[in-house]
Amino acid sequence: LRNGTAKVAILGASGYTGRELLHLLARHPAARAEVVMTSREGSVPEPPELPSDPVVDSLDLRRLDGIDVAFLCAPHGASARLARQVLDAGTRVIDLSADFRLRDARLYAETYGEAHPARELLGRAVYGLTEHAREHLEGARLVANPGCYPTSILLPLLPLLQHGLVDEGATVIADSKSGVSGAGKALTERTHFGNVHDNFLAYKVGDHRHLPEIQQQAGTDRIVFVPHLLPVFRGILSTLYVPPARGTTAAQARACLEEVYAAEPFVRVYGTGLPELRAVVGTNFCDIGVAAAGDRIVVISAIDNLVKGASGQAVQNMNVMLGLEETAGLR
Amino acid sequence: LRNGTAKVAILGASGYTGRELLHLLARHPAARAEVVMTSREGSVPEPPELPSDPVVDSLDLRRLDGIDVAFLCAPHGASARLARQVLDAGTRVIDLSADFRLRDARLYAETYGEAHPARELLGRAVYGLTEHAREHLEGARLVANPGCYPTSILLPLLPLLQHGLVDEGATVIADSKSGVSGAGKALTERTHFGNVHDNFLAYKVGDHRHLPEIQQQAGTDRIVFVPHLLPVFRGILSTLYVPPARGTTAAQARACLEEVYAAEPFVRVYGTGLPELRAVVGTNFCDIGVAAAGDRIVVISAIDNLVKGASGQAVQNMNVMLGLEETAGLR
Amino acid sequence: LRNGTAKVAILGASGYTGRELLHLLARHPAARAEVVMTSREGSVPEPPELPSDPVVDSLDLRRLDGIDVAFLCAPHGASARLARQVLDAGTRVIDLSADFRLRDARLYAETYGEAHPARELLGRAVYGLTEHAREHLEGARLVANPGCYPTSILLPLLPLLQHGLVDEGATVIADSKSGVSGAGKALTERTHFGNVHDNFLAYKVGDHRHLPEIQQQAGTDRIVFVPHLLPVFRGILSTLYVPPARGTTAAQARACLEEVYAAEPFVRVYGTGLPELRAVVGTNFCDIGVAAAGDRIVVISAIDNLVKGASGQAVQNMNVMLGLEETAGLR
Amino acid sequence: LRNGTAKVAILGASGYTGRELLHLLARHPAARAEVVMTSREGSVPEPPELPSDPVVDSLDLRRLDGIDVAFLCAPHGASARLARQVLDAGTRVIDLSADFRLRDARLYAETYGEAHPARELLGRAVYGLTEHAREHLEGARLVANPGCYPTSILLPLLPLLQHGLVDEGATVIADSKSGVSGAGKALTERTHFGNVHDNFLAYKVGDHRHLPEIQQQAGTDRIVFVPHLLPVFRGILSTLYVPPARGTTAAQARACLEEVYAAEPFVRVYGTGLPELRAVVGTNFCDIGVAAAGDRIVVISAIDNLVKGASGQAVQNMNVMLGLEETAGLR
């Protein structure tokens, strides 16, 4: 990095994810958003401290000269096409869309209803669940930033699977609850105040697009995932019902998680008690608690879907990619 | 009934449950709250239409002369002692506390941490999940009104168990989410606005007092139950993960529920779609939807915890006990 | 009325106001919604108990045969044209839009930005603030149902003005706060959950369309009105800062309101204390409290904007127009 | 300052104000909380990143050796006694209680119902509305941090008064709306979720303790102040109805505010539009907008009551007192 400061671009800055990135980078001691582009003018006036001018519809690649990494916050499909351009221009990419999360183009087509627009890049993408991808991130040129639900489910689940603490013949249940910001700024019936406030509901039971992503990373299909919509703006709390491998106790599961994440700056495994949403809102933490219930181990995780579940993890990935302090801009 | 109007007493009217009973009975065409007693003056002023005077600490049994049924809304323990007095005075009882829900005094002692204060009555109590208890309610003198979580879980689950659609060798997961009114009017850290608003959490994982009640009524221990606290005032939505008996599909489970509840005025099984909290808040309905997810059948139910989960079901039980129209006062 | 039951039509039933009317009429002992028409299919599925079929875009006037009164819930402009048709067909009209609230066609044009589509009807419309219009309602064929903010402001203010308790040389301030349902079901930035939840704001300061309506009915221009948006769904609370006529005390203002509204079933003047929103939500009440603050009398009113502020008052007006019990369907 | 880092003490760290101070100081580049004392153990577990150990009931003054400034977050009365001890020990004080905001001991006694416990200090206290107190803050040893409502009202009002834009013969109305955190962590009926959520109300009309503070600083009694409780956690929005001096327009009032605050880092005067609560929540900004309505100028201000209305302003005052960058720790 020249002068020790990373120069970054945000392509698609008008949504919640892009806005959160702008906030985080504004506080980052070693990175600077040099190029900020949105595809449409947001109609809600931004608070004065946010930039409102740089509205650009088509990317002028010359603007990426000297940029160290570009964050893509475009819709899926569009994002992959943009990624190809940016990579061709020699700039590294952290893609916050779903376009590079699935390794299998056929599964992508089934899940997203269209052929993958940049299949040749699928093999090059690193799945950026930072704590489990660090060694691959350092040289990566294309990082697929994980989905919010997958982040909340994989962080507590992967160590248990990898250490053989899960009964492979049984099914893991992931019952997740998310705030409304996960649905974005679009004006839909689903996000109208009258339909969210004082309400609660499950949606896309059995066919949410994050399920293939979770199953791919977990390496098993024996996961059932049901997302729900909470009447809050930010945060995801996932309740996992884990069938233990023979003889495994909740205490052993907790010990495993504590060991795996002992040195992690952004994963907090609780010795006692269980995480609440408000403990993580506005932070890049993933908090994890463990309890026993009947013949299941109940593992509860909480993240801020816009931070650890999106823009915070993207910055964390950037920090690792560029050799910066991993926690820079995230405390 | 004299004059076709039931005379009822509410003992313990200051809590949310008692207040809801007052509201329901105020609109009931064939019942009248003749005796209303609270054990302490509520410090929040009631809206003008609610009575605020009758604050009585010790029950004068003579006031029950001519009363057809007494609703007990006292804390557990106290409620059983009160029930004995009221029954001895010749008045029928609908108890909204937990005191007569468990049939086994030893299990009660384990669950509630004290010996049951009226063991001799346990055998006489009818568990008042109305749709499954109607034949026993008619002659009943003591009805145990079900808990809110158990109501939301048993109504969708019992038919599936009774018709052999559940894999008996596997575990049913019940992930429930409740509004704050379930925690009552007590001033606790848990109910402080600053701890509920914009928050979400699981509590009493593995040892909530409603679990033995659910297991007893379901006739199986293979149920895991995790309650959560929603930042809303009213309503419970339960997501059940049902392991199907060999070959059973979600469509068959739905068909079973539709058939069992076809004539029920207060259970609505959805042909398509899934219930949301707001569809039932303020009503005595239990709405049920069914979907498939992996190797599980997902059954979602929604109730208003203060109505179908407490006072509404109590009125429904009263209607059946006294031979009134079952829906009277509940539409 | 034939058989003692009023037959009514609801034209424009898909919005919050129309839906509330349907709910109220479903419980009305002496009225029945015979014709229910919406201009567009609501995309949020209605709870099962609500009709979803009758979607009609153009009114077939023959369907109004035998209808006693039609409620119009159409947008302003369209509503006036519809009113003309319905009146010509011989059916009485209660119009919930703004079209007949202003008596002066020029003021209407200034306020709504278009010429009034049915000027010839303006002179015939009765402004239906029920408590102050009863004698004119009985024979009325066209009733202008008041706006929600005006209802909340005029009910506490009119008696004070009429009894000379307000300093005519000074200005009345009306600082009003409304829930989001006042903005309707339209998908706008303003009603997106992310813009309402945890937020609060003033809007249309100095030029809200309800101001001319308030000033016309109050008979004075010396009223300043600022509406605000609360992060709740229902309810309006208005704080009025009334400059008292020489020597008038808050106690005298309260006494005046108590006397004027002593026999009113839906106006509750508090002897002590002040109304809160939740005391009126879901009811047709207007609660009023009075306090002294410096050299002003502070009068606070609370209503449910969808009930007393719209559909409830419309039913109350219908009851008076048709000679039914005024409180029928509203308790 | 030794090593360029201020050493600070927080006395009374368990409430919302103390907790916010801890958060702000944890991010401050040039200050460190060396001594943190609470008077009682908070029963809600703190998130892991917050200290939970230093629970001390009586102050050991030796712990203040080397401390540059102590923030007092104790209840009024207790705070004044503590201030005397701390000042005697040679440590400067920023008092977040109300104890040193009123200059007149008699007014204090009337307002708080008890004699002032440290009258001899009243003359030495600087009222720390930073933007209007900077010159006095530099040498100050005792700073009275302003109340939250007064901050939201005085920042927009003082310049208009000082520049003669307000009609002195008329009354300013301040209609303020605050989130619940202003009521603190105490378990009261007022802060129970069931009493706040979906509710809104005015309280202490005419006799809130912040009124004398506002009037003293404004230098006039012609201010009417009505506080209201919003169903949100953080934030105050105040709507001021200012009677203009002859001929003064809203544009002139805005121009005056823009000029006075042109160089201020934490006051943002809007050229167009009006502030919303969410624009300031979590920040130390006071946002101000101006509009015309009838014969009044409407001035709207928004702050975060826990930041600019309490702990943020306290840090800002500390920065000025100690010669640090005024915005340090507050961006």
Side-chain angles (χ1 to χ4, degrees):
Chain A
L1 302 178
R2 283 141 293 189
N3 321 321
T5 294
K7 292 193 171 66
V8 313
I10 302 179
L11 307 183
S14 60
Y16 288 136
T17 300
R19 223 166 61 170
E20 190 71 24
L21 257 179
L22 276 171
H23 274 294
L24 292 170
L25 291 169
R27 286 157 182 72
H28 197 295
R32 227 177 100 88
E34 295 272 331
V35 177
V36 177
M37 291 194 281
T38 66
S39 51
R40 55 174 181 89
E41 189 116 38
S43 49
V44 176
E46 300 295 344
E49 87 270 29
L50 285 181
S52 64
D53 37 348
V55 179
V56 182
D57 258 313
S58 62
L59 177 60
D60 177 354
L61 291 172
R62 288 168 300 186
R63 297 195 56 196
L64 297 183
D65 276 2
I67 294 296
D68 295 296
V69 63
F71 294 95
L72 309 192
C73 307
H76 68 83
S79 207
R81 284 182 286 268
L82 201 52
R84 184 191 277 142
Q85 291 181 275
V86 175
L87 288 168
D88 285 352
T91 301
R92 280 182 281 192
V93 165
I94 297 174
D95 180 32
L96 285 88
S97 86
D99 277 346
F100 299 102
R101 295 177 188 160
L102 298 178
R103 282 189 293 265
D104 179 347
R106 207 169 50 189
L107 184 56
Y108 181 92
E110 274 169 29
T111 306
Y112 292 92
E114 52 187 291
H116 195 285
R119 301 173 62 148
E120 78 282 6
L121 296 176
L122 284 179
R124 295 169 51 190
V126 171
Y127 186 80
L129 189 68
T130 325
E131 287 75 10
H132 295 267
R134 216 169 266 123
E135 64 197 289
H136 303 293
L137 287 168
E138 279 160 39
R141 300 201 62 78
L142 172 58
V143 171
N145 213 56
C148 50
Y149 285 122
T151 297
S152 82
I153 290 167
L154 294 168
L155 282 174
L157 189 56
L158 286 185
L160 305 181
L161 287 166
Q162 289 164 355
H163 288 76
L165 304 188
V166 182
D167 177 0
E168 293 186 0
T171 298
V172 173
I173 308 287
D175 187 289
S176 294
K177 301 88 174 174
S178 173
V180 179
S181 53
K185 287 172 99 170
L187 301 181
T188 63
E189 298 285 350
R190 185 46 63 227
T191 56
H192 189 286
F193 184 81
N195 298 334
V196 177
H197 180 71
D198 283 345
N199 200 10
F200 182 71
L201 58 111
Y203 66 103
K204 294 193 185 159
V205 177
D207 65 351
H208 192 283
R209 286 166 168 179
H210 283 173
L211 180 59
E213 179 182 342
I214 296 164
Q215 291 176 332
Q216 169 189 279
Q217 295 300 319
T220 170
D221 287 352
R222 299 215 60 169
I223 296 179
V224 164
F225 165 57
V226 174
H228 300 73
L229 190 67
L230 283 170
V232 305
F233 187 67
R234 281 164 175 264
I236 290 178
L237 189 139
S238 288
T239 307
L240 308 185
Y241 298 87
V242 177
R246 177 181 295 271
T248 301
T249 65
Q252 289 168 328
R254 182 187 299 111
C256 167
L257 290 163
E258 286 176 331
E259 195 182 324
V260 167
Y261 293 125
E264 288 298 340
F266 294 121
V267 181
R268 302 186 291 199
V269 180
Y270 287 25
T272 60
L274 295 170
E276 307 189 2
L277 212 56
R278 62 169 181 161
V280 299
V281 166
T283 80
N284 197 49
F285 290 114
C286 176
D287 283 10
I288 302 175
V290 181
D295 60 2
R296 289 296 189 276
I297 297 173
V298 175
V299 186
I300 293 181
S301 73
I303 62 168
D304 185 318
N305 57 308
L306 295 180
V307 189
K308 184 60 178 169
S311 305
Q313 186 157 242
V315 170
Q316 192 181 354
N317 284 331
M318 175 195 76
N319 289 343
V320 177
M321 285 169 80
L322 302 184
L324 303 172
E325 180 72 33
E326 185 168 330
T327 60
L330 295 170
R331 290 288 202 187
Chain B
L1 301 179
R2 281 141 294 185
N3 322 321
T5 295
K7 292 193 170 66
V8 313
I10 302 178
L11 308 182
S14 60
Y16 289 137
T17 301
R19 223 167 61 170
E20 189 73 24
L21 257 178
L22 276 170
H23 274 294
L24 292 170
L25 290 170
R27 287 158 181 73
H28 197 294
R32 228 177 100 86
E34 296 272 330
V35 177
V36 177
M37 290 193 281
T38 66
S39 53
R40 55 174 182 88
E41 189 116 35
S43 50
V44 176
E46 299 295 345
E49 86 271 26
L50 285 182
S52 64
D53 37 350
V55 179
V56 183
D57 257 312
S58 61
L59 177 62
D60 177 353
L61 291 171
R62 286 168 302 185
R63 296 195 57 196
L64 297 183
D65 278 1
I67 294 296
D68 295 295
V69 64
F71 294 95
L72 310 192
C73 307
H76 67 84
S79 206
R81 284 183 286 269
L82 201 53
R84 185 192 277 143
Q85 288 182 278
V86 174
L87 288 168
D88 286 350
T91 300
R92 282 182 278 191
V93 166
I94 297 174
D95 180 32
L96 284 88
S97 87
D99 277 347
F100 299 102
R101 295 176 187 161
L102 298 178
R103 281 189 295 264
D104 179 348
R106 211 168 47 188
L107 184 57
Y108 179 94
E110 275 170 29
T111 306
Y112 292 91
E114 52 186 292
H116 195 284
R119 302 173 61 150
E120 77 282 5
L121 295 176
L122 284 178
R124 294 168 52 188
V126 171
Y127 186 80
L129 189 69
T130 324
E131 288 75 10
H132 295 267
R134 215 168 266 123
E135 64 197 289
H136 304 293
L137 286 168
E138 280 162 37
R141 297 203 63 79
L142 173 58
V143 171
N145 213 58
C148 50
Y149 286 121
T151 297
S152 82
I153 291 167
L154 293 168
L155 282 174
L157 189 56
L158 286 184
L160 305 181
L161 288 167
Q162 289 164 355
H163 289 75
L165 305 188
V166 182
D167 177 0
E168 293 186 1
T171 298
V172 173
I173 308 287
D175 187 291
S176 295
K177 300 87 174 175
S178 173
V180 179
S181 55
K185 287 172 97 169
L187 302 180
T188 63
E189 298 284 350
R190 185 47 58 229
T191 55
H192 189 287
F193 184 81
N195 298 333
V196 177
H197 180 71
D198 283 345
N199 200 9
F200 182 70
L201 58 110
Y203 67 103
K204 293 191 185 162
V205 177
D207 65 350
H208 192 282
R209 286 166 167 177
H210 282 173
L211 179 59
E213 180 183 341
I214 295 164
Q215 292 176 330
Q216 169 189 280
Q217 295 301 319
T220 170
D221 286 352
R222 301 215 59 169
I223 298 178
V224 163
F225 165 57
V226 174
H228 301 72
L229 191 66
L230 284 169
V232 305
F233 188 66
R234 281 164 175 263
I236 290 178
L237 189 138
S238 287
T239 307
L240 307 184
Y241 298 87
V242 177
R246 175 181 296 273
T248 301
T249 65
Q252 288 167 328
R254 182 187 299 110
C256 167
L257 289 163
E258 286 176 331
E259 193 181 326
V260 167
Y261 292 125
E264 287 298 339
F266 294 120
V267 181
R268 302 186 292 199
V269 180
Y270 287 25
T272 59
L274 295 171
E276 307 188 3
L277 213 55
R278 64 170 181 160
V280 300
V281 165
T283 80
N284 197 49
F285 290 114
C286 177
D287 283 10
I288 302 175
V290 181
D295 61 2
R296 289 296 189 274
I297 298 173
V298 175
V299 187
I300 292 181
S301 72
I303 62 169
D304 185 318
N305 58 309
L306 295 180
V307 188
K308 184 60 178 172
S311 304
Q313 186 155 242
V315 169
Q316 191 182 354
N317 283 331
M318 175 194 77
N319 289 343
V320 176
M321 286 168 79
L322 302 183
L324 303 171
E325 180 71 34
E326 187 168 330
T327 59
L330 295 170
R331 290 288 201 188
Chain C
L1 303 178
R2 283 139 294 190
N3 321 320
T5 295
K7 290 193 172 69
V8 313
I10 301 178
L11 307 183
S14 60
Y16 288 137
T17 301
R19 222 166 64 171
E20 190 71 24
L21 258 180
L22 277 169
H23 274 294
L24 291 170
L25 290 170
R27 285 157 182 73
H28 197 294
R32 228 178 100 87
E34 294 272 330
V35 176
V36 177
M37 292 194 280
T38 66
S39 52
R40 58 175 180 89
E41 189 117 36
S43 51
V44 175
E46 298 297 343
E49 86 270 27
L50 285 183
S52 64
D53 36 353
V55 179
V56 182
D57 259 312
S58 60
L59 177 61
D60 177 353
L61 291 171
R62 287 168 301 185
R63 294 195 57 196
L64 297 183
D65 278 0
I67 294 296
D68 295 296
V69 63
F71 294 95
L72 309 193
C73 307
H76 68 84
S79 208
R81 285 182 285 268
L82 202 52
R84 183 191 278 142
Q85 288 183 278
V86 174
L87 287 168
D88 285 351
T91 300
R92 281 183 278 192
V93 166
I94 297 173
D95 180 32
L96 285 88
S97 87
D99 276 348
F100 299 102
R101 295 177 188 160
L102 298 178
R103 281 189 295 264
D104 178 349
R106 208 168 50 186
L107 184 56
Y108 180 93
E110 275 168 30
T111 307
Y112 292 92
E114 52 187 294
H116 195 285
R119 302 171 63 148
E120 78 281 7
L121 296 176
L122 283 178
R124 294 169 52 189
V126 172
Y127 186 80
L129 188 68
T130 325
E131 288 74 11
H132 295 268
R134 215 169 267 124
E135 63 197 289
H136 303 293
L137 286 168
E138 279 162 39
R141 297 202 64 78
L142 172 57
V143 171
N145 214 58
C148 50
Y149 285 121
T151 297
S152 83
I153 290 168
L154 294 168
L155 282 174
L157 189 57
L158 286 185
L160 304 181
L161 288 167
Q162 290 163 356
H163 289 74
L165 305 188
V166 182
D167 176 0
E168 293 187 1
T171 298
V172 173
I173 308 286
D175 187 289
S176 295
K177 302 88 174 174
S178 172
V180 179
S181 54
K185 289 172 99 170
L187 302 181
T188 63
E189 298 284 350
R190 184 48 58 229
T191 56
H192 189 287
F193 183 81
N195 296 335
V196 178
H197 180 71
D198 283 346
N199 201 8
F200 182 71
L201 58 110
Y203 67 103
K204 295 192 184 160
V205 176
D207 65 350
H208 192 283
R209 287 167 169 177
H210 282 173
L211 179 59
E213 179 183 342
I214 295 165
Q215 290 176 331
Q216 168 188 279
Q217 294 299 319
T220 171
D221 285 353
R222 300 214 60 168
I223 297 179
V224 164
F225 165 58
V226 175
H228 300 73
L229 191 67
L230 283 170
V232 305
F233 187 66
R234 282 165 175 262
I236 290 178
L237 189 138
S238 288
T239 307
L240 307 185
Y241 297 86
V242 177
R246 177 180 294 272
T248 302
T249 65
Q252 288 168 328
R254 181 188 299 111
C256 167
L257 290 164
E258 285 176 332
E259 193 182 325
V260 167
Y261 293 125
E264 287 298 338
F266 295 120
V267 181
R268 302 186 293 199
V269 180
Y270 287 27
T272 59
L274 295 171
E276 308 189 2
L277 213 56
R278 64 171 181 159
V280 299
V281 165
T283 80
N284 197 51
F285 289 114
C286 176
D287 284 10
I288 303 175
V290 182
D295 61 2
R296 288 297 188 273
I297 297 173
V298 175
V299 186
I300 293 182
S301 72
I303 61 168
D304 185 319
N305 58 309
L306 295 179
V307 189
K308 184 61 178 170
S311 304
Q313 186 156 244
V315 169
Q316 190 181 353
N317 284 332
M318 174 194 77
N319 289 342
V320 176
M321 284 167 81
L322 302 183
L324 303 172
E325 179 72 33
E326 186 169 330
T327 60
L330 295 170
R331 289 287 202 187
Chain D
L1 302 179
R2 281 140 293 191
N3 320 319
T5 295
K7 291 193 172 67
V8 312
I10 302 179
L11 307 182
S14 59
Y16 289 137
T17 301
R19 224 166 62 171
E20 190 72 25
L21 259 179
L22 277 169
H23 275 293
L24 292 170
L25 290 170
R27 286 160 182 73
H28 198 294
R32 228 177 99 87
E34 294 274 329
V35 176
V36 177
M37 292 193 280
T38 66
S39 53
R40 54 174 182 88
E41 189 115 39
S43 49
V44 176
E46 298 297 342
E49 86 271 26
L50 285 183
S52 63
D53 37 352
V55 178
V56 182
D57 258 312
S58 61
L59 178 61
D60 178 353
L61 292 171
R62 287 167 302 186
R63 297 195 57 196
L64 297 182
D65 277 1
I67 294 296
D68 296 295
V69 64
F71 294 96
L72 309 192
C73 307
H76 67 84
S79 207
R81 283 182 286 268
L82 202 52
R84 184 192 279 143
Q85 289 182 275
V86 175
L87 288 168
D88 285 351
T91 301
R92 282 182 279 191
V93 165
I94 297 173
D95 179 32
L96 286 88
S97 86
D99 276 348
F100 299 102
R101 295 176 188 160
L102 298 178
R103 282 189 292 265
D104 177 348
R106 209 168 50 188
L107 184 56
Y108 180 92
E110 274 169 30
T111 307
Y112 292 92
E114 53 186 291
H116 195 285
R119 301 172 63 148
E120 77 281 6
L121 296 176
L122 284 178
R124 295 169 51 188
V126 170
Y127 186 80
L129 189 69
T130 325
E131 287 74 10
H132 295 267
R134 216 169 266 125
E135 63 197 290
H136 304 293
L137 286 168
E138 280 161 40
R141 299 203 63 78
L142 172 58
V143 171
N145 213 57
C148 50
Y149 286 121
T151 297
S152 82
I153 291 167
L154 294 169
L155 282 174
L157 189 56
L158 286 185
L160 304 182
L161 288 167
Q162 291 164 354
H163 288 76
L165 305 188
V166 182
D167 176 359
E168 293 186 1
T171 298
V172 173
I173 308 287
D175 188 290
S176 295
K177 302 87 173 174
S178 172
V180 180
S181 54
K185 287 172 98 169
L187 302 179
T188 63
E189 298 284 351
R190 186 46 62 227
T191 56
H192 189 285
F193 183 81
N195 297 335
V196 177
H197 181 70
D198 284 345
N199 201 9
F200 182 70
L201 58 111
Y203 67 103
K204 294 191 185 160
V205 176
D207 65 350
H208 192 283
R209 287 166 167 177
H210 282 173
L211 179 58
E213 180 182 343
I214 295 164
Q215 291 175 333
Q216 168 190 280
Q217 295 300 319
T220 170
D221 286 352
R222 299 214 63 168
I223 298 178
V224 164
F225 165 56
V226 175
H228 301 72
L229 191 67
L230 283 170
V232 306
F233 187 66
R234 280 165 176 263
I236 290 179
L237 189 139
S238 288
T239 307
L240 307 185
Y241 298 86
V242 177
R246 178 181 294 273
T248 302
T249 65
Q252 288 167 329
R254 182 188 298 111
C256 168
L257 290 163
E258 285 176 331
E259 192 181 326
V260 168
Y261 293 125
E264 287 298 338
F266 294 120
V267 180
R268 302 186 291 201
V269 180
Y270 288 26
T272 60
L274 296 171
E276 307 188 2
L277 213 56
R278 63 171 182 160
V280 299
V281 165
T283 81
N284 197 51
F285 290 114
C286 177
D287 283 11
I288 302 175
V290 182
D295 61 2
R296 289 297 188 273
I297 298 173
V298 175
V299 186
I300 293 182
S301 73
I303 62 168
D304 185 319
N305 57 309
L306 295 180
V307 189
K308 183 60 177 171
S311 304
Q313 186 155 245
V315 170
Q316 191 181 354
N317 284 331
M318 176 195 75
N319 289 343
V320 177
M321 285 168 80
L322 302 184
L324 303 171
E325 179 73 33
E326 186 168 329
T327 60
L330 295 170
R331 290 287 201 186

